[in-house]
Amino acid sequence: QGLFAAQCAPCHGADGKGGIGPSVVDKTWLYQEGDISDGSLFQIIAAGTQPGMEIAGKKARGGMPPFGAQVDRDKTWSLVAYIRSIQGK
């Protein structure tokens, strides 16, 4: 929760429901209805996105900076797990 608050909440909101960036708790990913895999979510956090980039058959509209340099592999997986927990999964 602390890592999410520090790294993700500034854009995705403290509750994950969006702000500057989109919600991470609804059933829409990359502006299309439907979930993505944990591995795809990991890649988005680690490598970021750019407009038009295709991920899991969906195209990103906006960009998100990569966090792989600031957040190690284990912490990135912890973020994936936390996001899934606030989604109720």
Side-chain angles (χ1 to χ4, degrees):
Q1 185 176 4
L3 187 58
F4 183 89
Q7 299 294 329
C8 308
C11 292
H12 296 286
D15 57 5
K17 293 183 179 175
I20 295 168
S23 171
V24 296
V25 297
D26 60 15
K27 296 181 183 190
T28 302
W29 285 96
L30 302 171
Y31 302 97
Q32 291 181 16
E33 196 70 22
D35 204 358
I36 59 173
S37 70
D38 290 352
S40 292
L41 182 51
F42 179 98
Q43 282 303 117
I44 289 170
I45 295 167
T49 64
Q50 294 182 7
M53 180 180 200
E54 189 170 319
I55 302 163
K58 302 173 186 226
K59 285 196 178 184
R61 287 188 189 166
M64 183 179 108
F67 286 89
Q70 297 108 300
V71 180
D72 69 27
R73 178 181 168 88
D74 290 340
K75 288 181 181 175
T76 301
W77 280 118
S78 292
L79 283 170
V80 171
Y82 181 74
I83 290 167
R84 294 305 192 192
S85 77
I86 60 175
Q87 288 177 320
K89 294 183 178 181

